[in-house]
Amino acid sequence: MPQHCYAVNALVEFPVSGTTARATRYGRIDSNLPATEEGLRRAIAGQVAEQRGCRPEQVTFVEFTFTELPTA
């Protein structure tokens, strides 16, 4: 069972065919180690890049919030 659980909500922009698209990402990230905001952003950028066919450094965060949730 993970020791840390985070609820994340992000509005990101990424390149698509010479223009920019936006997407909202929200969900839960479980981790055995404490996560930093930077680490959570990197994880989300990697997921978006993989799904959208771009590089993680091309993903821009317009909005980003996260909360650590209690674990049982």
Side-chain angles (χ1 to χ4, degrees), residues 4 29 36 41 58 61 69:
H4 302 274
I29 296 177
T36 63
R41 285 178 182 252
Q58 293 177 298
F61 288 86
L69 302 172

Side-chain angles (χ1 to χ4, degrees), residues 40-51 54-56 59 61:
L40 293 170
R41 285 178 182 252
R42 258 193 318 248
I44 291 170
Q47 291 172 357
V48 171
E50 184 177 314
Q51 293 173 352
C54 61
R55 295 186 315 273
V59 176
F61 288 86

Side-chain angles (χ1 to χ4, degrees), residues 4-11 25-29 33-42 44 61 63-69:
H4 302 274
C5 178
Y6 301 91
V8 295
N9 186 22
L11 176 62
R25 311 299 281 180
Y26 58 90
R28 173 181 162 158
I29 296 177
L33 300 172
T36 63
E37 180 177 346
E38 181 181 343
L40 293 170
R41 285 178 182 252
R42 258 193 318 248
I44 291 170
F61 288 86
E63 295 176 10
F64 182 82
T65 58
F66 74 97
T67 302
E68 184 165 8
L69 302 172

